[in-house]
Amino acid sequence: MKRLALSASIGMSLMGCAAEPVQLQHNRSYILEWIGERPLMDYSHLTITLGDDGRAYGNGGCNHWFAPYTLEGHRLSFGKIGSTRKLCAPALMEQESRFLQALEKVERWDISPIEQMRFWPAQGKPLRWWLEEG
């Protein structure tokens, strides 16, 4: 009888330890790791924050960018993207251009088996993000 009670007690306590499912978070910054099939250049820092007000913004590696967004369940889309107009090294500018073009094609989001946020276009590989620490 004691074993049964102990087993039930342990089982109930473990149910409380189940991890919360990862969700897309507002007002938190995510760091981009991959654009489609290509990883980012070393030392480049591309970010996104989805504000509660329907505006997304971040750093494109050279310029700051901003856009309206729509989030309905797992459907996600971005409106016209604007950005500052700094000029950086050609490779950074090319990467930033690929990033902004990929962001305009996003249609949905999900979470990978390794708990990485993914923004998917209609066709092709996703943008892959990690939640920024701190």
Coordinates of all heavy atoms in Angstrom, one line a residue, residues 40-133:
L40 N 24.1 32.4 -41.2 CA 24.5 33.8 -41.3 C 26.1 33.9 -41.3 O 26.7 33.0 -40.9 CB 24.1 34.6 -40.0 CG 22.6 34.8 -39.9 CD1 22.3 35.7 -38.7 CD2 21.9 35.3 -41.2
M41 N 26.6 35.0 -41.8 CA 28.0 35.3 -41.8 C 28.4 35.4 -40.3 O 27.6 35.8 -39.5 CB 28.3 36.6 -42.5 CG 28.0 36.6 -43.9 SD 28.1 38.2 -44.7 CE 29.4 39.0 -43.9
D42 N 29.7 35.0 -40.0 CA 30.2 35.2 -38.7 C 30.1 36.6 -38.2 O 30.3 37.5 -39.0 CB 31.7 34.7 -38.6 CG 31.8 33.2 -38.8 OD1 30.8 32.5 -38.6 OD2 32.9 32.8 -39.1
Y43 N 29.8 36.8 -37.0 CA 29.7 38.1 -36.3 C 28.6 39.0 -36.8 O 28.6 40.2 -36.4 CB 31.1 38.8 -36.3 CG 32.2 37.9 -35.8 CD1 33.1 37.4 -36.6 CD2 32.2 37.6 -34.4 CE1 34.1 36.6 -36.1 CE2 33.2 36.8 -33.9 CZ 34.2 36.3 -34.7 OH 35.2 35.5 -34.2
S44 N 27.7 38.5 -37.6 CA 26.6 39.3 -38.0 C 25.5 39.1 -37.0 O 25.3 38.0 -36.5 CB 26.1 39.1 -39.4 OG 25.7 37.8 -39.6
H45 N 24.7 40.1 -36.7 CA 23.7 40.0 -35.7 C 22.3 40.5 -36.2 O 22.1 41.7 -36.3 CB 24.1 40.9 -34.5 CG 23.3 40.7 -33.3 ND1 23.3 39.7 -32.4 CD2 22.3 41.5 -32.8 CE1 22.5 39.9 -31.4 NE2 21.8 41.0 -31.6
L46 N 21.5 39.6 -36.7 CA 20.2 39.9 -37.2 C 19.1 39.6 -36.2 O 19.1 38.5 -35.6 CB 19.9 39.2 -38.5 CG 20.7 39.7 -39.8 CD1 22.1 39.5 -39.7 CD2 20.1 39.2 -41.0
T47 N 18.2 40.5 -36.0 CA 17.2 40.2 -34.9 C 15.8 40.6 -35.3 O 15.6 41.3 -36.3 CB 17.5 41.1 -33.7 OG1 17.4 42.5 -34.0 CG2 18.9 40.8 -33.1
I48 N 14.8 40.1 -34.5 CA 13.4 40.5 -34.7 C 12.8 40.6 -33.3 O 13.1 39.8 -32.5 CB 12.6 39.5 -35.6 CG1 11.2 40.0 -35.9 CG2 12.6 38.1 -34.9 CD1 10.5 39.2 -37.0
T49 N 11.9 41.5 -33.2 CA 11.0 41.7 -32.0 C 9.6 41.9 -32.6 O 9.4 42.8 -33.5 CB 11.4 42.8 -31.1 OG1 12.7 42.6 -30.7 CG2 10.5 43.0 -29.9
L50 N 8.6 41.1 -32.1 CA 7.2 41.3 -32.5 C 6.6 42.0 -31.4 O 6.3 41.5 -30.3 CB 6.6 39.9 -32.8 CG 7.2 39.1 -33.9 CD1 6.5 37.7 -33.9 CD2 7.1 39.8 -35.2
G51 N 6.2 43.3 -31.6 CA 5.6 44.1 -30.6 C 4.1 43.7 -30.4 O 3.5 43.2 -31.4
D52 N 3.6 44.0 -29.3 CA 2.1 43.8 -29.0 C 1.2 44.7 -29.9 O 0.1 44.4 -30.1 CB 1.8 44.2 -27.6 CG 2.2 43.1 -26.6 OD1 2.3 41.9 -27.0 OD2 2.5 43.4 -25.4
D53 N 1.8 45.7 -30.5 CA 1.0 46.7 -31.3 C 1.0 46.3 -32.8 O 0.5 47.1 -33.6 CB 1.6 48.1 -31.1 CG 3.1 48.2 -31.6 OD1 3.7 47.1 -32.0 OD2 3.7 49.3 -31.6
G54 N 1.4 45.1 -33.1 CA 1.4 44.7 -34.5 C 2.5 45.2 -35.4 O 2.5 45.1 -36.6
R55 N 3.6 45.7 -34.7 CA 4.8 46.2 -35.4 C 5.9 45.3 -35.1 O 6.2 45.0 -33.9 CB 5.1 47.6 -35.1 CG 4.0 48.6 -35.5 CD 4.4 50.0 -35.0 NE 3.2 50.8 -35.0 CZ 3.2 52.1 -35.1 NH1 4.3 52.7 -35.3 NH2 2.1 52.7 -35.1
A56 N 6.7 44.9 -36.1 CA 7.9 44.1 -35.9 C 9.1 45.0 -36.2 O 9.0 46.0 -37.1 CB 7.9 42.9 -36.9
Y57 N 10.2 44.8 -35.6 CA 11.4 45.6 -35.8 C 12.6 44.8 -35.4 O 12.5 43.8 -34.7 CB 11.3 46.9 -35.1 CG 11.1 46.7 -33.6 CD1 12.2 46.6 -32.7 CD2 9.9 46.6 -33.0 CE1 12.1 46.5 -31.4 CE2 9.7 46.5 -31.7 CZ 10.8 46.4 -30.9 OH 10.6 46.2 -29.5
G58 N 13.8 45.2 -35.9 CA 15.0 44.6 -35.5 C 16.2 45.1 -36.2 O 16.1 46.2 -36.8
N59 N 17.3 44.3 -36.2 CA 18.5 44.7 -36.9 C 18.7 43.8 -38.0 O 18.6 42.5 -37.9 CB 19.6 44.6 -35.9 CG 20.9 45.2 -36.5 OD1 21.4 44.8 -37.5 ND2 21.5 46.1 -35.7
G60 N 19.0 44.3 -39.2 CA 19.2 43.5 -40.4 C 20.7 43.1 -40.6 O 21.0 42.6 -41.7
G61 N 21.5 43.4 -39.7 CA 23.0 43.2 -39.8 C 23.7 44.4 -40.1 O 24.9 44.6 -39.7
C62 N 23.1 45.4 -40.8 CA 23.7 46.7 -41.1 C 22.7 47.8 -40.6 O 23.0 48.7 -39.9 CB 24.0 46.8 -42.6 SG 24.7 48.4 -43.0
N63 N 21.5 47.7 -41.1 CA 20.4 48.7 -40.9 C 19.4 48.1 -39.9 O 19.1 46.9 -39.8 CB 19.7 49.0 -42.2 CG 20.6 49.8 -43.1 OD1 20.9 51.0 -42.9 ND2 21.2 49.2 -44.1
H64 N 18.7 49.1 -39.3 CA 17.5 48.7 -38.5 C 16.3 48.6 -39.5 O 16.2 49.4 -40.4 CB 17.2 49.8 -37.4 CG 18.3 49.8 -36.4 ND1 18.3 48.9 -35.3 CD2 19.4 50.6 -36.2 CE1 19.4 49.1 -34.6 NE2 20.0 50.2 -35.1
W65 N 15.4 47.7 -39.2 CA 14.3 47.5 -40.1 C 13.0 47.5 -39.3 O 13.0 47.3 -38.0 CB 14.4 46.2 -40.9 CG 14.3 45.0 -40.1 CD1 15.4 44.3 -39.5 CD2 13.2 44.3 -39.7 NE1 14.9 43.3 -38.7 CE2 13.6 43.2 -38.8 CE3 11.8 44.4 -40.0 CZ2 12.6 42.3 -38.3 CZ3 10.9 43.6 -39.4 CH2 11.3 42.5 -38.6
F66 N 11.9 47.7 -39.9 CA 10.6 47.7 -39.3 C 9.5 47.4 -40.3 O 9.6 47.6 -41.5 CB 10.3 49.1 -38.7 CG 10.7 50.2 -39.6 CD1 9.8 50.8 -40.5 CD2 12.0 50.8 -39.6 CE1 10.1 51.8 -41.4 CE2 12.3 51.8 -40.5 CZ 11.4 52.3 -41.4
A67 N 8.4 46.8 -39.8 CA 7.3 46.4 -40.6 C 6.1 46.1 -39.8 O 6.2 45.6 -38.7 CB 7.7 45.2 -41.5
P68 N 4.9 46.3 -40.3 CA 3.7 45.8 -39.7 C 3.6 44.2 -39.9 O 4.2 43.7 -40.8 CB 2.5 46.4 -40.4 CG 3.1 46.7 -41.8 CD 4.5 47.0 -41.6
Y69 N 3.0 43.6 -38.9 CA 2.8 42.1 -39.1 C 1.5 41.7 -38.6 O 0.8 42.4 -37.9 CB 3.9 41.3 -38.3 CG 3.7 41.3 -36.8 CD1 3.0 40.3 -36.2 CD2 4.2 42.3 -36.0 CE1 2.8 40.2 -34.8 CE2 4.0 42.3 -34.6 CZ 3.3 41.2 -34.1 OH 3.1 41.2 -32.7
T70 N 1.0 40.5 -39.1 CA -0.2 39.9 -38.7 C 0.1 38.5 -38.2 O 0.7 37.8 -38.9 CB -1.2 39.9 -40.0 OG1 -1.4 41.2 -40.5 CG2 -2.5 39.3 -39.6
L71 N -0.4 38.2 -37.1 CA -0.3 36.9 -36.4 C -1.6 36.4 -36.0 O -2.3 37.0 -35.2 CB 0.6 37.1 -35.2 CG 0.9 35.8 -34.4 CD1 1.6 34.7 -35.2 CD2 1.7 36.1 -33.1
E72 N -2.0 35.3 -36.7 CA -3.3 34.6 -36.4 C -3.0 33.1 -36.2 O -2.8 32.4 -37.2 CB -4.3 34.9 -37.5 CG -4.7 36.3 -37.6 CD -5.5 36.6 -38.8 OE1 -5.7 35.7 -39.7 OE2 -6.0 37.7 -39.0
G73 N -2.9 32.6 -35.0 CA -2.6 31.2 -34.8 C -1.1 31.0 -35.3 O -0.2 31.7 -34.8
H74 N -1.0 30.1 -36.2 CA 0.3 29.8 -36.8 C 0.6 30.5 -38.1 O 1.6 30.3 -38.7 CB 0.5 28.3 -36.9 CG 0.9 27.6 -35.6 ND1 2.2 27.5 -35.2 CD2 0.1 27.1 -34.6 CE1 2.2 26.9 -34.0 NE2 0.9 26.7 -33.6
R75 N -0.4 31.3 -38.5 CA -0.2 32.1 -39.7 C 0.5 33.4 -39.3 O 0.1 34.1 -38.3 CB -1.5 32.4 -40.4 CG -2.2 31.1 -40.8 CD -3.2 31.2 -42.0 NE -2.7 31.8 -43.2 CZ -1.9 31.3 -44.1 NH1 -1.4 30.1 -43.9 NH2 -1.6 31.9 -45.2
L76 N 1.5 33.8 -40.1 CA 2.3 35.0 -39.8 C 2.7 35.6 -41.1 O 3.1 34.9 -42.0 CB 3.6 34.6 -39.0 CG 4.6 35.7 -38.8 CD1 4.0 36.8 -37.8 CD2 5.9 35.1 -38.2
S77 N 2.5 36.9 -41.2 CA 2.9 37.6 -42.4 C 3.3 39.0 -42.1 O 2.9 39.6 -41.0 CB 1.7 37.7 -43.5 OG 0.6 38.4 -42.9
F78 N 4.2 39.6 -42.9 CA 4.7 40.9 -42.7 C 4.3 41.8 -43.9 O 4.2 41.4 -45.0 CB 6.2 40.9 -42.7 CG 6.7 40.1 -41.5 CD1 6.9 38.7 -41.5 CD2 7.0 40.7 -40.3 CE1 7.4 38.0 -40.5 CE2 7.4 40.0 -39.2 CZ 7.6 38.7 -39.3
G79 N 4.0 43.1 -43.5 CA 3.6 44.1 -44.5 C 4.9 44.7 -45.1 O 6.0 44.1 -45.0
K80 N 4.8 45.8 -45.7 CA 5.9 46.5 -46.4 C 7.0 46.8 -45.3 O 6.7 47.4 -44.3 CB 5.4 47.8 -47.0 CG 6.5 48.5 -47.8 CD 6.0 49.5 -48.8 CE 7.0 50.2 -49.5 NZ 8.0 49.4 -50.1
I81 N 8.2 46.4 -45.7 CA 9.3 46.5 -44.8 C 10.1 47.8 -45.1 O 10.4 48.1 -46.3 CB 10.3 45.3 -44.9 CG1 9.5 44.1 -44.4 CG2 11.5 45.5 -44.0 CD1 10.3 42.8 -44.6
G82 N 10.4 48.6 -44.1 CA 11.2 49.8 -44.2 C 12.5 49.6 -43.4 O 12.6 48.7 -42.6
S83 N 13.5 50.4 -43.7 CA 14.7 50.3 -43.0 C 15.5 51.6 -43.1 O 15.2 52.5 -43.9 CB 15.6 49.2 -43.5 OG 16.1 49.5 -44.8
T84 N 16.5 51.7 -42.2 CA 17.4 52.9 -42.3 C 18.3 52.6 -43.5 O 18.2 51.6 -44.2 CB 18.3 53.0 -41.0 OG1 19.0 51.7 -40.8 CG2 17.4 53.3 -39.8
R85 N 19.1 53.6 -43.8 CA 19.9 53.5 -45.1 C 21.4 53.6 -44.9 O 22.0 54.3 -45.7 CB 19.4 54.6 -46.0 CG 17.9 54.4 -46.4 CD 17.4 55.5 -47.3 NE 16.0 55.3 -47.5 CZ 15.4 55.4 -48.7 NH1 16.2 55.7 -49.7 NH2 14.2 55.2 -48.8
K86 N 21.9 53.0 -43.9 CA 23.4 52.9 -43.8 C 23.9 52.0 -44.9 O 23.3 51.1 -45.3 CB 23.8 52.4 -42.4 CG 23.5 53.3 -41.3 CD 24.1 52.9 -40.0 CE 23.8 51.5 -39.6 NZ 24.3 51.1 -38.3
L87 N 25.2 52.3 -45.2 CA 25.9 51.5 -46.2 C 27.0 50.7 -45.4 O 27.7 51.2 -44.6 CB 26.5 52.3 -47.2 CG 27.1 51.6 -48.5 CD1 26.0 50.8 -49.2 CD2 27.6 52.7 -49.4
C88 N 27.0 49.4 -45.6 CA 28.0 48.5 -45.0 C 28.7 47.7 -46.0 O 28.5 47.9 -47.2 CB 27.3 47.5 -44.0 SG 26.5 48.4 -42.6
A89 N 29.6 46.8 -45.6 CA 30.4 46.0 -46.5 C 29.4 45.3 -47.5 O 28.3 44.9 -47.1 CB 31.2 45.0 -45.8
P90 N 29.8 45.1 -48.7 CA 28.9 44.4 -49.7 C 28.3 43.1 -49.3 O 27.2 42.8 -49.5 CB 29.8 44.2 -50.9 CG 30.8 45.4 -50.8 CD 31.1 45.5 -49.3
A91 N 29.1 42.3 -48.6 CA 28.6 40.9 -48.2 C 27.5 41.1 -47.1 O 26.5 40.4 -47.1 CB 29.8 40.1 -47.6
L92 N 27.7 42.1 -46.2 CA 26.6 42.3 -45.2 C 25.3 42.9 -45.9 O 24.2 42.5 -45.5 CB 27.1 43.3 -44.2 CG 27.8 42.8 -43.0 CD1 28.3 43.9 -42.0 CD2 27.0 41.8 -42.2
M93 N 25.5 43.7 -46.9 CA 24.4 44.3 -47.6 C 23.6 43.2 -48.3 O 22.4 43.2 -48.4 CB 24.8 45.4 -48.5 CG 25.4 46.6 -47.8 SD 24.4 47.4 -46.6 CE 23.1 48.0 -47.6
E94 N 24.4 42.3 -48.9 CA 23.7 41.2 -49.7 C 22.9 40.3 -48.7 O 21.8 39.9 -49.0 CB 24.8 40.4 -50.4 CG 24.2 39.3 -51.4 CD 23.9 38.0 -50.6 OE1 24.6 37.7 -49.6 OE2 23.0 37.3 -51.1
Q95 N 23.5 40.0 -47.6 CA 22.9 39.1 -46.6 C 21.6 39.8 -46.0 O 20.5 39.2 -45.9 CB 23.8 38.8 -45.4 CG 23.2 38.0 -44.3 CD 24.1 37.7 -43.2 OE1 24.7 36.6 -43.3 NE2 24.3 38.6 -42.3
E96 N 21.7 41.1 -45.8 CA 20.6 41.9 -45.3 C 19.4 41.9 -46.3 O 18.3 41.7 -46.0 CB 21.0 43.3 -44.9 CG 19.9 44.1 -44.4 CD 20.4 45.5 -43.9 OE1 20.4 46.4 -44.7 OE2 20.7 45.6 -42.7
S97 N 19.8 42.1 -47.6 CA 18.8 42.0 -48.6 C 18.1 40.7 -48.7 O 16.9 40.6 -48.8 CB 19.5 42.4 -50.0 OG 18.6 42.3 -51.0
R98 N 18.9 39.6 -48.6 CA 18.3 38.2 -48.6 C 17.3 38.1 -47.5 O 16.3 37.5 -47.6 CB 19.3 37.2 -48.6 CG 20.0 36.9 -49.9 CD 20.9 35.6 -49.9 NE 22.0 35.8 -48.9 CZ 22.0 35.0 -47.8 NH1 21.1 34.2 -47.5 NH2 23.0 35.2 -46.9
F99 N 17.7 38.6 -46.3 CA 16.9 38.5 -45.1 C 15.6 39.2 -45.3 O 14.5 38.6 -45.0 CB 17.7 39.0 -43.9 CG 16.8 39.3 -42.7 CD1 16.1 38.3 -42.1 CD2 16.7 40.6 -42.2 CE1 15.4 38.6 -41.0 CE2 16.0 40.9 -41.1 CZ 15.3 39.9 -40.5
L100 N 15.6 40.4 -45.7 CA 14.4 41.2 -45.8 C 13.5 40.6 -46.9 O 12.3 40.6 -46.7 CB 14.7 42.7 -46.1 CG 15.5 43.4 -44.9 CD1 15.8 44.8 -45.4 CD2 14.7 43.4 -43.7
Q101 N 14.1 40.1 -48.0 CA 13.2 39.5 -49.0 C 12.6 38.2 -48.5 O 11.4 38.0 -48.8 CB 14.1 39.2 -50.2 CG 14.5 40.4 -51.0 CD 15.5 40.1 -52.1 OE1 15.8 39.0 -52.4 NE2 16.0 41.2 -52.8
A102 N 13.3 37.5 -47.7 CA 12.8 36.2 -47.1 C 11.7 36.6 -46.1 O 10.7 35.9 -46.1 CB 13.9 35.4 -46.4
L103 N 11.9 37.6 -45.3 CA 10.9 38.0 -44.3 C 9.6 38.4 -45.0 O 8.5 38.0 -44.5 CB 11.4 39.2 -43.5 CG 10.8 39.4 -42.2 CD1 10.9 38.2 -41.2 CD2 11.5 40.6 -41.5
E104 N 9.6 39.0 -46.2 CA 8.4 39.4 -46.9 C 7.6 38.2 -47.4 O 6.4 38.3 -47.6 CB 8.8 40.3 -48.1 CG 9.2 41.7 -47.7 CD 9.6 42.5 -48.9 OE1 9.9 42.0 -50.0 OE2 9.6 43.8 -48.8
K105 N 8.2 37.1 -47.5 CA 7.6 35.9 -48.0 C 7.1 34.9 -46.9 O 6.5 33.9 -47.2 CB 8.5 35.1 -48.9 CG 9.0 35.9 -50.1 CD 10.0 35.2 -51.0 CE 10.4 36.0 -52.1 NZ 11.6 35.5 -52.8
V106 N 7.3 35.3 -45.7 CA 6.8 34.4 -44.6 C 5.3 34.3 -44.6 O 4.6 35.3 -44.8 CB 7.3 35.0 -43.2 CG1 6.6 34.3 -42.0 CG2 8.8 34.9 -43.1
E107 N 4.8 33.0 -44.4 CA 3.4 32.8 -44.3 C 3.0 32.1 -43.0 O 1.8 32.1 -42.6 CB 3.0 31.9 -45.5 CG 3.1 32.6 -46.8 CD 2.5 31.7 -47.9 OE1 2.2 30.6 -47.7 OE2 2.4 32.3 -49.0
R108 N 3.9 31.4 -42.3 CA 3.5 30.7 -41.1 C 4.8 30.6 -40.2 O 5.9 30.7 -40.7 CB 2.9 29.4 -41.4 CG 3.8 28.4 -42.1 CD 3.1 27.1 -42.5 NE 4.0 26.2 -43.2 CZ 4.9 25.4 -42.7 NH1 4.9 25.2 -41.4 NH2 5.6 24.6 -43.4
W109 N 4.5 30.2 -39.0 CA 5.6 29.9 -38.1 C 5.4 28.6 -37.4 O 4.2 28.1 -37.3 CB 5.8 31.0 -37.0 CG 4.7 31.1 -36.0 CD1 3.5 31.7 -36.2 CD2 4.6 30.5 -34.8 NE1 2.7 31.6 -35.1 CE2 3.4 30.8 -34.2 CE3 5.5 29.7 -34.0 CZ2 3.0 30.4 -32.9 CZ3 5.1 29.2 -32.8 CH2 3.9 29.6 -32.2
D110 N 6.4 28.0 -36.9 CA 6.3 26.8 -36.0 C 7.6 26.7 -35.2 O 8.4 27.5 -35.2 CB 6.0 25.5 -36.8 CG 7.2 25.0 -37.6 OD1 8.3 25.6 -37.6 OD2 7.0 24.0 -38.4
I111 N 7.6 25.6 -34.4 CA 8.8 25.3 -33.6 C 9.4 24.0 -33.9 O 8.7 23.0 -34.0 CB 8.4 25.4 -32.1 CG1 7.8 26.8 -31.8 CG2 9.5 25.0 -31.2 CD1 7.2 26.9 -30.5
S112 N 10.7 24.0 -34.1 CA 11.4 22.7 -34.5 C 11.5 21.8 -33.3 O 11.2 22.2 -32.2 CB 12.8 23.1 -35.0 OG 13.6 23.4 -34.0
P113 N 11.9 20.5 -33.6 CA 12.0 19.6 -32.5 C 13.1 20.0 -31.5 O 13.1 19.6 -30.4 CB 12.5 18.3 -33.2 CG 11.9 18.4 -34.6 CD 11.9 19.9 -34.9
I114 N 14.0 20.9 -31.9 CA 15.0 21.4 -31.0 C 14.6 22.8 -30.4 O 15.5 23.5 -29.9 CB 16.4 21.5 -31.6 CG1 16.4 22.4 -32.8 CG2 17.0 20.1 -32.0 CD1 17.8 22.7 -33.4
E115 N 13.3 23.1 -30.4 CA 12.7 24.3 -29.9 C 13.3 25.6 -30.5 O 13.5 26.6 -29.8 CB 12.9 24.3 -28.4 CG 12.1 23.2 -27.7 CD 12.1 23.2 -26.2 OE1 12.8 24.0 -25.6 OE2 11.3 22.4 -25.7
Q116 N 13.6 25.5 -31.8 CA 14.0 26.7 -32.5 C 12.8 27.2 -33.3 O 12.0 26.5 -33.8 CB 15.1 26.3 -33.5 CG 15.7 27.5 -34.2 CD 16.9 27.1 -35.1 OE1 16.8 26.0 -35.8 NE2 17.9 27.8 -35.0
M117 N 12.6 28.6 -33.2 CA 11.5 29.2 -33.9 C 11.8 29.2 -35.4 O 12.9 29.5 -35.8 CB 11.3 30.6 -33.4 CG 10.1 31.3 -33.8 SD 8.6 30.5 -33.0 CE 9.1 30.6 -31.2
R118 N 10.8 28.9 -36.2 CA 11.0 28.9 -37.7 C 9.9 29.7 -38.3 O 8.7 29.5 -38.0 CB 11.0 27.4 -38.2 CG 12.1 26.6 -37.7 CD 12.1 25.2 -38.3 NE 10.9 24.5 -37.9 CZ 10.7 23.2 -38.1 NH1 11.7 22.4 -38.6 NH2 9.6 22.6 -37.8
F119 N 10.2 30.6 -39.3 CA 9.3 31.3 -40.1 C 9.4 30.8 -41.5 O 10.4 30.9 -42.1 CB 9.7 32.8 -40.1 CG 9.5 33.5 -38.8 CD1 9.0 32.9 -37.6 CD2 9.8 34.9 -38.7 CE1 8.8 33.6 -36.5 CE2 9.6 35.6 -37.5 CZ 9.1 35.0 -36.4
W120 N 8.3 30.2 -42.0 CA 8.2 29.5 -43.3 C 7.6 30.4 -44.4 O 6.6 30.9 -44.2 CB 7.4 28.3 -43.1 CG 8.0 27.2 -42.3 CD1 7.8 27.1 -40.9 CD2 8.8 26.2 -42.7 NE1 8.5 26.0 -40.5 CE2 9.2 25.4 -41.6 CE3 9.4 25.8 -44.0 CZ2 10.0 24.3 -41.6 CZ3 10.2 24.7 -44.0 CH2 10.5 24.0 -42.9
P121 N 8.3 30.4 -45.6 CA 7.7 30.9 -46.8 C 6.8 29.9 -47.4 O 6.7 28.7 -46.9 CB 8.9 31.2 -47.7 CG 9.9 30.1 -47.3 CD 9.7 29.9 -45.8
A122 N 6.1 30.3 -48.5 CA 5.2 29.3 -49.2 C 6.0 28.1 -49.7 O 5.6 27.0 -49.7 CB 4.5 30.0 -50.3
Q123 N 7.3 28.4 -50.2 CA 8.1 27.4 -50.7 C 9.5 27.7 -50.2 O 9.9 28.8 -50.0 CB 8.2 27.4 -52.2 CG 6.8 27.0 -52.8 CD 6.9 27.1 -54.3 OE1 7.8 27.6 -54.9 NE2 6.0 26.4 -55.0
G124 N 10.3 26.6 -49.9 CA 11.7 26.7 -49.5 C 11.9 26.5 -48.0 O 11.0 26.1 -47.3
K125 N 13.1 26.8 -47.6 CA 13.5 26.6 -46.2 C 13.1 27.8 -45.4 O 13.0 28.9 -45.9 CB 15.0 26.4 -46.2 CG 15.5 25.2 -47.0 CD 15.2 23.9 -46.3 CE 15.8 22.8 -47.1 NZ 15.6 21.5 -46.4
P126 N 13.0 27.6 -44.1 CA 12.6 28.7 -43.2 C 13.7 29.6 -42.7 O 14.9 29.3 -42.8 CB 12.0 28.0 -42.0 CG 12.9 26.8 -41.9 CD 13.1 26.4 -43.3
L127 N 13.3 30.8 -42.2 CA 14.2 31.6 -41.3 C 14.2 30.9 -40.0 O 13.2 30.5 -39.5 CB 13.7 33.0 -41.2 CG 13.6 33.8 -42.5 CD1 12.7 35.0 -42.2 CD2 15.0 34.3 -42.9
R128 N 15.4 30.7 -39.4 CA 15.5 30.0 -38.1 C 16.0 30.9 -37.0 O 17.1 31.5 -37.2 CB 16.3 28.7 -38.3 CG 15.7 27.8 -39.3 CD 16.3 26.4 -39.3 NE 17.7 26.5 -39.7 CZ 18.5 25.5 -39.9 NH1 18.0 24.3 -39.7 NH2 19.7 25.6 -40.3
W129 N 15.3 31.0 -35.9 CA 15.5 31.9 -34.8 C 15.7 31.3 -33.5 O 15.1 30.3 -33.2 CB 14.3 32.9 -34.7 CG 13.9 33.6 -35.9 CD1 13.0 33.1 -36.8 CD2 14.3 34.9 -36.3 NE1 12.8 34.1 -37.8 CE2 13.6 35.1 -37.5 CE3 15.2 35.8 -35.8 CZ2 13.7 36.3 -38.2 CZ3 15.3 37.0 -36.5 CH2 14.6 37.3 -37.7
W130 N 16.5 31.9 -32.6 CA 16.7 31.6 -31.2 C 16.2 32.8 -30.4 O 16.5 33.9 -30.7 CB 18.1 31.2 -30.9 CG 18.6 29.9 -31.5 CD1 19.5 29.8 -32.5 CD2 18.2 28.6 -31.1 NE1 19.7 28.5 -32.8 CE2 18.9 27.7 -32.0 CE3 17.3 28.1 -30.2 CZ2 18.8 26.4 -31.9 CZ3 17.2 26.7 -30.2 CH2 17.9 25.9 -31.0
L131 N 15.6 32.5 -29.3 CA 15.2 33.6 -28.4 C 16.5 34.1 -27.8 O 17.3 33.4 -27.3 CB 14.3 33.0 -27.3 CG 13.7 34.0 -26.3 CD1 12.8 35.0 -27.1 CD2 12.8 33.2 -25.3
E132 N 16.6 35.5 -27.8 CA 17.8 36.1 -27.3 C 17.8 36.0 -25.8 O 16.8 36.3 -25.1 CB 17.9 37.6 -27.7 CG 19.2 38.2 -27.4 CD 19.3 39.6 -28.1 OE1 18.3 40.3 -28.3 OE2 20.5 39.9 -28.5
E133 N 18.9 35.6 -25.2 CA 19.0 35.5 -23.7 C 19.1 36.9 -23.1 O 19.7 37.8 -23.7 CB 20.2 34.7 -23.4 CG 20.1 33.2 -23.9 CD 19.0 32.4 -23.2 OE1 18.7 32.6 -22.0 OE2 18.3 31.7 -23.9

